[in-house]
Amino acid sequence: MRARLLMLCLFAILLTAIPLSAQDDSESPLLRLLSYVPDTPDYRSFVQYGDQAAWFESWGFEPFASLADFERRGDEGDFTTTAWMFITAEQTLPPNALGLQYVLQDEMRPAFGFDIFNSDRYLQAGEPPEWITLVEGNFSERQIGQALTATGYAADELDDTTLYSINEDYEVTLTSDLPRVAQLGDLNRIVVGDDRLVIAKATPVIESALDARSGETPSLADDPAFSAAAAALEGEAVSDMGALVGAILMDGAQLMDPEFHFGPRLTPEMLEAFEESLAELPALPPYDIAAFATYHQTGQSWLVVALVHPEGTDAEAAAEALQARFESYTSAVTNEPFMELLGDRGVELRSVRAVEASGRPVTLLVLEDPDPTLELDEDGRRDTYVFSWNRMVFARDLGFLAVVEED
């Protein structure tokens, strides 16, 4: 026991010595960013991840160097600009701190030294005001530091890194001269490395992220269920689907709760009818994490639901139950059979199967979505439609994942 404790202490010391910008090639990008997220209920509830660099490569598009490059190519008729505007957000779900909604209104890079155009991948975890944002990209610590200082940020040392701060913790400054992306406080605190940023509304949130990365506190990357989810999303079972360009990970406890799928519109009568309809279908075993992943390769996107079950779960039975539920699901938004809605969009259910990842049973549901034509129709509109998990997640249109407890 004493020897084991000594090894754990040595491991913690080594982790503490890892600089912010260090990248271990043995780490998956998803796990690497999850290592900054504290393992607490609030952060477990919702994680969004995107890999914009993989998105550009998988679609065969040349990345934009800057907003000026984006605008120039748009003026020249390069339809990559339209595809990026309408597809990348659906598939990679950029964090609020990168200000996609303001990209054509406020130029972000002069004020901060970075923007969405030089960001390769990103992760946002938790709910405001405590959410944590991680961004990796082609960054220069010196250039970002100069830009932030000129904008009014103060620089202070924090755990062998530099913390740039503006405003008070969690402060909102709607009347300030800051670009709109920063006025709600999402960029109040920024820790900068040569290739990675940690961003939050307040210093304690930044400190909690650095403590998780150093090993002083548990991170989501340390959690067996999240680790298994990452392994499943990057494992052999999905290796023929192209690049993982985006994923949403959610704690299973909230999705299993039937009430979650209605939100404030729920009535007792609605809940009773919903539970009765679920009781007529095969029982879905409990799961710890649900991941909604998007992959892309030339010609099609693959949409995957991955459910990470507790050890000992009959994953084959879980796969059969998930398929039966999905195929019979009626959309809570449109009140139409979901399989018909998918079929109208050319999306097909390809498989539902059981796999193992990091010793955990995992159920995978796989949809195939052919690429849009990107061509103009007779009304002059370009075809850019892609099926997106985030539409269903934010609408809570996921009732097929509810689990009714037995009496």
Side-chain angles (χ1 to χ4, degrees):
M1 176 65 73
R2 183 175 299 173
R4 184 169 181 268
L5 288 173
L6 180 61
M7 289 297 293
L8 288 174
C9 291
L10 178 60
F11 183 61
I13 291 172
L14 289 173
L15 277 177
T16 304
I18 296 175
L20 177 67
S21 60
Q23 291 195 11
D24 182 350
D25 290 340
S26 66
E27 290 182 296
S28 76
L30 175 55
L31 272 182
R32 182 168 61 241
L33 297 183
L34 285 173
S35 71
Y36 287 88
V37 183
D39 188 0
T40 65
D42 288 343
Y43 289 116
R44 293 177 64 91
S45 66
F46 194 86
V47 176
Q48 60 190 62
Y49 166 79
D51 192 328
Q52 182 174 234
W55 183 89
F56 273 107
E57 183 176 358
S58 72
W59 282 87
F61 297 146
E62 181 69 24
F64 301 109
S66 62
L67 176 59
D69 182 38
F70 174 87
E71 292 175 333
R72 176 187 60 80
R73 288 165 60 179
D75 291 341
E76 294 174 353
D78 184 349
F79 64 74
T80 301
T81 56
T82 303
W84 182 83
M85 286 292 294
F86 288 96
I87 299 177
T88 188
E90 297 286 359
Q91 296 197 322
T92 74
L93 205 62
N96 290 55
L98 290 180
L100 182 62
Q101 66 271 40
Y102 306 117
V103 71
L104 298 182
Q105 303 171 35
D106 288 333
E107 189 171 4
M108 184 174 173
R109 197 177 301 183
F112 304 100
F114 65 90
D115 57 22
I116 195 168
F117 296 111
N118 62 348
S119 299
D120 289 340
R121 61 196 61 83
Y122 26 73
L123 181 147
Q124 179 177 289
E127 302 290 341
E130 304 296 328
W131 57 23
I132 294 170
T133 300
L134 289 306
V135 184
E136 293 184 341
N138 182 24
F139 303 136
S140 164
E141 184 173 355
R142 180 182 61 83
Q143 292 176 0
I144 292 177
Q146 290 175 344
L148 292 175
T149 301
T151 299
Y153 281 78
D156 298 290
E157 293 300 313
L158 177 64
D159 295 344
D160 298 324
T161 64
T162 302
L163 171 65
Y164 292 90
S165 304
I166 198 167
N167 303 321
E168 298 297 324
D169 285 346
Y170 306 109
E171 185 176 356
V172 174
T173 55
L174 297 179
T175 59
S176 73
D177 294 330
L178 289 172
R180 272 168 284 191
V181 64
Q183 291 180 357
L184 292 179
D186 287 324
L187 291 150
N188 280 356
R189 304 291 181 268
I190 304 173
V191 169
V192 184
D194 280 338
D195 51 21
R196 192 170 312 143
L197 310 174
V198 186
I199 305 171
K201 291 176 179 284
T203 299
V205 182
I206 290 285
E207 291 174 333
S208 70
L210 297 182
D211 287 346
R213 175 62 175 173
S214 70
E216 292 185 28
T217 58
S219 74
L220 292 186
D222 302 320
D223 177 79
F226 270 90
S227 179
L233 297 184
E234 298 172 322
E236 183 65 28
V238 296
S239 60
D240 60 348
M241 297 181 190
L244 174 64
V245 297
I248 296 171
L249 296 91
M250 302 178 68
D251 188 16
Q254 62 184 330
L255 288 173
M256 289 190 293
D257 183 355
E259 295 188 16
F260 171 85
H261 302 276
F262 292 91
R265 67 182 186 275
L266 179 66
T267 64
E269 293 75 19
M270 292 168 61
L271 181 61
E272 182 179 1
F274 180 55
E275 292 182 337
E276 288 177 354
S277 66
L278 289 177
E280 298 175 358
L281 298 169
L284 182 65
Y287 50 93
D288 295 321
I289 298 295
F292 305 88
T294 302
Y295 302 81
H296 184 263
Q297 58 187 191
T298 303
Q300 64 269 328
S301 297
W302 300 91
L303 293 306
V304 174
V305 178
L307 303 182
V308 180
H309 301 279
E311 294 181 5
T313 299
D314 185 344
E316 296 290 347
E320 293 179 5
L322 180 60
Q323 180 168 351
R325 284 161 161 257
F326 190 82
E327 290 180 336
S328 63
Y329 182 59
T330 297
S331 170
V333 174
T334 66
N335 203 33
E336 298 176 76
F338 195 64
M339 291 297 292
E340 292 184 12
L341 294 176
L342 290 178
D344 291 342
R345 291 293 188 177
V347 182
E348 296 186 22
L349 175 62
R350 287 303 186 191
S351 67
V352 185
R353 60 188 187 275
V355 301
E356 184 178 289
S358 297
R360 288 292 195 97
V362 178
T363 306
L364 295 179
L365 181 148
V366 180
L367 305 176
E368 182 182 6
D369 180 21
D371 282 351
T373 65
L374 302 179
E375 296 176 353
L376 293 173
D377 62 19
E378 57 185 15
D379 296 321
R381 292 172 298 190
R382 196 173 296 278
D383 175 23
T384 58
Y385 175 84
V386 291
F387 177 79
S388 173
W389 284 128
N390 55 338
R391 295 177 195 158
M392 295 186 67
V393 170
F394 292 133
R396 300 193 182 193
D397 200 2
L398 300 165
F400 60 94
L401 295 176
V403 174
V404 179
E405 295 183 2
E406 298 181 1
D407 296 331

